[in-house]
Amino acid sequence: MSFLKKLFKSKEPSNENVAKKLKVNLSLDDAFVHHFISKGGKFLYCISEKEIINNLDQIISENNWDIITCFDKSLKNFLKKSHVNVQEEVDDKKPFFTSCEHLISDNGDILFSSNQLSTHKLASLTNDFIVFAKTSQFVKDTGEGLTGIKTNCKDGSIPTNISAIKKYSLNIDDDNFLNYGNNNSKNLYLLLLEDL
């Protein structure tokens, strides 16, 4: 009888198998925030433009910044309501305020293109970034982000200089192909506007 019990004994599930079965499926925004914060990113959720301006003022005040670099005309409207000078020339000592293409949920990366960076490599820009994004910019992974960039090109000219900031601690290095020749570690604040 003990031989038959050993032969037909059911295996107890190991802790590893139980963990695989209990894998949690987070929403795109929850997954992004989890990964983004674990990489050292600073995240500010906003439900109105007024909150964006208030949070932007607090970031500027906290860091004692008096000049910010910004290329984007629509973002300059936020800065006009703030108490800071705006410049368009790249200066690696001044913080950079920009939008982005997509927020990559499966790893917490932020995807940019020439629409935001012009011809500048991430390495040539400052270490201090403030990124404005909307909740409609969440995508599952990098492939979906690249597809989204192509889909959003209404005139057929696909942007170049596609890069991702992947680390939000300045002493971390990475060799991902999207970051070739770029220092993709930045001290980064994300202002996320609810638009859905």
Side-chain angles (χ1 to χ4, degrees):
M1 184 97 161
S2 100
F3 171 75
L4 290 175
K5 282 186 179 180
K6 287 182 183 177
L7 184 63
F8 295 109
K9 183 179 178 183
S10 64
K11 277 186 153 181
E12 292 293 321
S14 68
N15 288 341
E16 190 176 297
N17 290 338
V18 171
K20 286 180 184 176
K21 289 180 182 177
L22 295 176
K23 184 178 177 183
V24 177
N25 290 324
L26 297 173
S27 64
L28 291 178
D29 54 346
D30 287 338
F32 173 83
V33 170
H34 170 76
H35 294 297
F36 180 79
I37 290 173
S38 71
K39 292 179 176 187
K42 297 162 199 81
F43 171 78
L44 297 161
Y45 181 80
C46 307
I47 58 171
S48 68
E49 289 189 11
K50 184 178 180 182
E51 272 191 67
I52 292 169
I53 294 164
N54 289 339
N55 286 328
L56 189 56
D57 282 339
Q58 288 177 354
I59 293 167
I60 292 166
S61 175
E62 175 184 307
N63 291 286
N64 296 317
W65 291 330
D66 56 347
I67 299 174
I68 290 185
T69 303
C70 182
F71 303 150
D72 190 319
K73 291 177 184 175
S74 63
L75 293 181
K76 286 181 185 178
N77 290 331
F78 291 125
L79 293 171
K80 284 179 186 175
K81 298 172 185 172
S82 186
H83 305 292
V84 67
N85 295 318
V86 180
Q87 68 180 25
E88 290 188 20
E89 302 83 34
V90 172
D91 184 340
D92 65 355
K93 305 289 186 251
K94 305 296 181 203
F96 184 56
F97 184 40
T98 187
S99 58
C100 65
E101 291 291 341
H102 292 289
L103 304 170
I104 311 297
S105 292
D106 73 347
N107 56 19
D109 295 352
I110 299 179
L111 194 62
F112 298 95
S113 74
S114 56
N115 291 335
Q116 294 82 36
L117 306 177
S118 185
T119 59
H120 304 283
K121 298 287 184 195
L122 284 172
S124 70
L125 297 170
T126 181
N127 287 333
D128 299 308
F129 267 56
I130 304 169
V131 177
F132 170 75
K134 297 179 179 178
T135 53
S136 59
Q137 291 176 274
F138 285 115
V139 293
K140 183 179 182 212
D141 54 30
T142 304
E144 196 173 299
L146 295 172
T147 301
I149 290 173
K150 185 176 179 181
T151 303
N152 291 337
C153 298
K154 300 193 183 350
D155 61 359
S157 61
I158 297 173
T160 59
N161 197 14
I162 297 172
S163 304
I165 296 181
K166 303 175 69 60
K167 304 285 190 272
Y168 312 109
S169 298
L170 296 177
N171 60 353
I172 297 174
D173 192 27
D174 186 46
D175 62 355
N176 183 289
F177 79 96
L178 284 175
N179 308 311
Y180 180 73
N182 291 326
N183 173 3
N184 71 336
S185 297
K186 301 292 181 185
N187 175 37
L188 192 136
Y189 292 87
L190 176 62
L191 297 170
L192 182 64
L193 178 65
E194 174 66 57
D195 72 336
L196 294 176

